[in-house]
């Protein structure tokens, strides 16, 4: 799963130039119920269980993950502005996910 996420981020970075430094990508436990959403001023696009934004604001990774989990559901991997959320961070993040 991490390999898929890393490959997705790398491919996106090649096409946008700045994705790894300024963008974000997440993998959901279940397919997203929306194709797009605006979160903290960033446009997110979802395909299946993967959602990505080419540019996001510089915010605390845990706070952002919790807010997205509340909107999208349980997150199993989260890379935000080049940082990957660890297992403890994901557990905290998913406490905000609606069942």
């Amino acid at each position: 799963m991490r390999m898929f996420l890393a490959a997705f981020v790398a491919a996106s970075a090649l096409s946008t130039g700045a994705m790894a430094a300024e963008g974000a990508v997440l993998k959901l436990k279940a397919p997203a119920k929306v194709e797009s959403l605006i979160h903290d001023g960033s446009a997110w696009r979802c395909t299946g269980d993967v959602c990505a934004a080419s540019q996001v604001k510089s915010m605390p990774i845990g706070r952002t993950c919790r807010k997205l989990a509340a909107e999208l559901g349980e997150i199993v991997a989260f890379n935000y502005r080049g940082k990957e959320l660890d297992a403890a961070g994901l557990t905290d993040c998913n406490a905000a996910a609606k069942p």
Side-chain angles (χ1 to χ4, degrees):
M1 176 177 11
R2 286 182 187 237
M3 193 166 190
F4 169 79
L5 189 60
F8 182 81
V9 170
S12 296
L14 291 175
S15 65
T16 64
M19 175 78 174
E22 297 179 12
V25 64
L26 61 85
K27 182 166 178 51
L28 298 166
K29 184 175 183 178
K33 294 179 180 163
V34 297
E35 291 183 11
S36 63
L37 71 136
I38 302 295
H39 172 72
D40 280 340
S42 299
W44 286 78
R45 301 278 182 247
C46 301
T47 303
D49 61 356
V50 175
C51 298
S54 61
Q55 286 194 311
V56 292
K57 293 179 181 179
S58 180
M59 306 285 266
I61 189 171
R63 173 189 174 273
T64 301
C65 187
R66 284 188 299 276
K67 288 179 81 176
L68 286 165
E71 288 188 52
L72 297 170
E74 190 172 343
I75 296 172
V76 296
F78 188 57
N79 185 297
Y80 191 77
R81 298 182 62 87
K83 292 184 177 180
E84 184 142 355
L85 196 57
D86 62 16
L90 286 169
T91 298
D92 177 59
C93 169
N94 287 317
K98 295 176 185 172

